[in-house]
């Protein structure tokens, strides 16, 4: 069994994520998101979908980017 690097659970169905040259082991997508997902620089939520990045800052949506003064970003649906 492999041990989740976030919660420490030994789990027979743990999985590996290869990202940025490192290998991570998790027992759930929740733990993977907690460890790897960027955090919105405005509201603090984890960005699980297509967020926005500008000047090294991450935002979950254009609204949050505008709150921090980045007015040129737009959401697309």
């Amino acid at each position: 069994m492999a041990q989740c690097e976030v919660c420490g659970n030994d789990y027979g169905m743990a999985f590996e994520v290869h990202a940025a040259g490192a290998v991570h082991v998790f027992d759930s997508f929740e733990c993977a998101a907690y460890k790897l997902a960027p955090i919105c620089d405005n509201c603090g939520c984890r960005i699980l979908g297509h967020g926005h990045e500008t000047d090294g800052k991450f935002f979950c949506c254009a609204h949050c980017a505008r709150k921090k003064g980045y007015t040129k970003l737009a959401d697309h649906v």
Side-chain angles (χ1 to χ4, degrees):
M1 290 200 292
Q3 187 173 23
C4 177
E5 67 182 67
V6 172
C7 69
N9 184 30
D10 279 325
Y11 186 51
M13 294 176 61
F15 58 93
E16 292 182 353
V17 174
H18 297 247
V23 179
H24 302 275
V25 177
F26 304 107
D27 69 340
S28 67
F29 288 114
E30 282 184 82
C31 285
Y34 178 83
K35 178 77 175 192
L36 300 176
I39 297 172
C40 179
D41 281 301
N42 181 60
C43 72
C45 76
R46 302 244 177 232
I47 303 168
L48 300 179
H50 296 283
H52 297 283
E53 180 182 3
T54 186
D55 291 338
K57 297 186 182 300
F58 293 94
F59 301 101
C60 64
C61 62
H63 170 78
C64 279
R66 285 192 299 274
K67 294 278 244 177
K68 292 292 186 175
Y70 297 95
T71 59
K72 295 186 188 241
L73 297 175
D75 288 324
H76 297 283
V77 293

